[in-house]
Amino acid sequence: MLLILFAWFVTASCNSTPTETQTQEAPTANATKEPTSPNQLTLSPTQAQAAGIEIGTFDHQEMTTDVLANGLIDVPPQNMASISAVMGGYVQTVNVLPGQFIKRGGTVAVLRHPDYLQLQQNYLQSRARLRFLQQELDRQQVLDAEDVGAKRKLQQAQADYQTEQAALRALAAQVRMLGLSVARLDGGHIAPTVPLTAPVGGFVRAVNINPGQYVGPQDVLVEVVDRSDLHLELKVFEKDIARVKVGQRILFNVPNSSSPDNMTARIFLVGKAFDDNDRTVSVHAHLEPERDDLLPGQYVSARIQTGGRRQRTLPEDAIIQDGEVSYAFVRTATDSAGSTFRRLRLRTSQPQHGAVAVTLLDKLPDTTQLVRRGAYFLQAELTKGQGDDE
């Protein structure tokens, strides 16, 4: 009986050995399988060729650092004219419209008032008195030469003549300030109206009058802007002003403009005082070249190129911008079966002339094989099917 039990035990033990061995080996086989990296993919040679993948290394370029500033298109004060009446009067005619070009000396409006006639009358009366006093002075000088006249009368005649001469000069200056011709007035022509003329040639910016309106010397009637010397006036914050120098280049554009291209200017003046309200300094720059498609008063966004240093760069086509994160691709392996690429994160600056300065978060040698063209194809392949889970 004991022999039968022993034989049954040995037979059962032999039959169970393969099952236990398979059970122990299964976990080992599963543990050696490595997961695929979410930032890595492989392309066949045919795929790489169709996508136009271009491989290369870093470039090294002199890249500038920028100071951001806002401002507007402006003109020098001498290129702007606010036209007012020297003496109050009524508007008879208005000769210009906003946006109209007017030459220097052109008439923008005509005024009328009895005071204009009175001034001209006073001038002509003073001129007549001066002729009389000249004759009186000549008589007293003759009498004094013959020693038959009183010295006091000669002195009085000289004083009266000089006083009237001064009055006539003042009245003549007032007549010229009104815009009237003294020569025509001397010829007997009294003008009932006074023209207002433009002291500079340019475009009419504003017209603040209409016929029949009474205007005083304090009123600005017409504004004229000469656009021949447009420039930028930027506001630079206190923390950045030490980096801004005369001669530096500026790239700027007009927000919401139909032309997204950057325009250029060069600094010719840096202010020497702060605006107490916002702690900024005014910086002025000439446009390069001069442009006729900008208007005084337009707001601009600008980048002042304050200096530069040699940095690693990549073409814009090599950079993938995904929100606030930037990526580039590195080729890690290649053979006849295909090429393997790995995506890496990096920091980028503003593009300059098609190149982007990059700062790597991982150390890589300059000989690293990078994807310089076709990065967007790799990004699409890498994220295919991931949806919003990445």
Side-chain angles (χ1 to χ4, degrees), residues 81-245:
S82 297
I83 303 174
S84 300
V86 176
M87 294 177 63
Y90 295 94
V91 178
Q92 179 165 301
T93 60
V94 180
N95 299 358
V96 293
L97 292 173
Q100 180 179 341
F101 179 82
I102 186 168
K103 295 181 179 180
R104 180 178 180 178
T107 300
V108 299
V110 176
L111 304 182
R112 55 183 171 80
H113 197 277
D115 288 348
Y116 304 156
L117 298 173
Q118 184 65 50
L119 176 62
Q120 296 174 79
Q121 178 184 344
N122 294 342
Y123 170 82
L124 292 175
Q125 290 174 344
S126 177
R127 184 167 171 267
R129 277 196 304 271
L130 187 65
R131 282 198 301 267
F132 169 77
L133 292 174
Q134 176 69 62
Q135 294 170 354
E136 178 64 21
L137 177 60
D138 291 343
R139 283 193 297 270
Q140 292 299 327
Q141 287 175 339
V142 170
L143 293 174
D144 182 69
E146 296 176 354
D147 200 21
V148 294
K151 288 287 185 183
R152 190 184 68 81
K153 288 186 177 181
L154 174 61
Q155 293 169 351
Q156 183 65 48
Q158 289 175 335
D160 291 343
Y161 176 78
Q162 291 172 355
T163 299
E164 195 63 38
Q165 191 178 44
L168 182 64
R169 289 173 179 169
L171 289 168
Q174 292 181 49
V175 170
R176 293 190 186 94
M177 288 177 65
L178 279 179
L180 300 176
S181 170
V182 174
R184 286 174 59 85
L185 191 55
D186 288 340
H189 179 76
I190 297 179
T193 58
V194 168
L196 291 181
T197 59
V200 298
F203 290 90
V204 177
R205 183 176 184 177
V207 177
N208 305 317
I209 53 174
N210 54 267
Q213 178 182 351
Y214 178 82
V215 295
Q218 75 281 358
D219 299 323
V220 176
L221 312 184
V222 179
E223 297 178 34
V224 178
V225 178
D226 178 7
R227 299 176 64 253
S228 63
D229 191 16
L230 291 178
H231 70 269
L232 296 186
E233 182 179 355
L234 303 177
K235 297 294 185 180
V236 177
F237 287 105
E238 181 178 4
K239 63 182 179 66
D240 298 320
I241 194 61
R243 299 160 55 194
V244 178
K245 309 293 181 186

Side-chain angles (χ1 to χ4, degrees), residues 135-366:
Q135 294 170 354
E136 178 64 21
L137 177 60
D138 291 343
R139 283 193 297 270
Q140 292 299 327
Q141 287 175 339
V142 170
L143 293 174
D144 182 69
E146 296 176 354
D147 200 21
V148 294
K151 288 287 185 183
R152 190 184 68 81
K153 288 186 177 181
L154 174 61
Q155 293 169 351
Q156 183 65 48
Q158 289 175 335
D160 291 343
Y161 176 78
Q162 291 172 355
T163 299
E164 195 63 38
Q165 191 178 44
L168 182 64
R169 289 173 179 169
L171 289 168
Q174 292 181 49
V175 170
R176 293 190 186 94
M177 288 177 65
L178 279 179
L180 300 176
S181 170
V182 174
R184 286 174 59 85
L185 191 55
D186 288 340
H189 179 76
I190 297 179
T193 58
V194 168
L196 291 181
T197 59
V200 298
F203 290 90
V204 177
R205 183 176 184 177
V207 177
N208 305 317
I209 53 174
N210 54 267
Q213 178 182 351
Y214 178 82
V215 295
Q218 75 281 358
D219 299 323
V220 176
L221 312 184
V222 179
E223 297 178 34
V224 178
V225 178
D226 178 7
R227 299 176 64 253
S228 63
D229 191 16
L230 291 178
H231 70 269
L232 296 186
E233 182 179 355
L234 303 177
K235 297 294 185 180
V236 177
F237 287 105
E238 181 178 4
K239 63 182 179 66
D240 298 320
I241 194 61
R243 299 160 55 194
V244 178
K245 309 293 181 186
V246 172
Q248 290 173 340
R249 187 166 177 260
I250 297 175
L251 299 178
F252 72 96
N253 57 58
V254 178
N256 302 321
S257 170
S258 58
S259 175
D261 296 335
N262 282 326
M263 293 168 278
T264 59
R266 196 166 297 276
I267 297 175
F268 71 89
L269 177 64
V270 178
K272 303 301 180 184
F274 285 104
D275 185 327
D276 293 334
N277 294 327
D278 53 14
R279 302 300 295 172
T280 60
V281 175
S282 294
V283 173
H284 298 266
H286 285 305
L287 305 185
E288 292 185 347
E290 296 288 343
R291 304 179 66 96
D292 58 5
D293 57 344
L294 299 176
L295 298 175
Q298 281 185 306
Y299 287 97
V300 299
S301 297
R303 293 186 285 118
I304 304 173
Q305 299 181 326
T306 61
R309 61 187 178 90
R310 197 167 179 79
Q311 294 178 274
R312 281 177 168 178
T313 65
L314 286 172
E316 287 188 75
D317 290 343
I319 305 298
I320 302 296
Q321 193 69 33
D322 187 7
E324 297 182 357
V325 180
S326 297
Y327 297 103
F329 283 89
V330 178
R331 187 173 69 179
T332 57
T334 183
D335 54 30
S336 59
S339 299
T340 301
F341 302 92
R342 179 170 60 89
R343 186 177 67 175
L344 55 88
R345 297 177 60 183
L346 40 77
R347 289 196 297 268
T348 60
S349 63
Q350 288 288 336
Q352 297 180 27
H353 309 295
V356 181
V358 297
T359 302
L360 302 177
L361 303 181
D362 299 319
K363 291 184 177 180
L364 291 176
D366 287 342

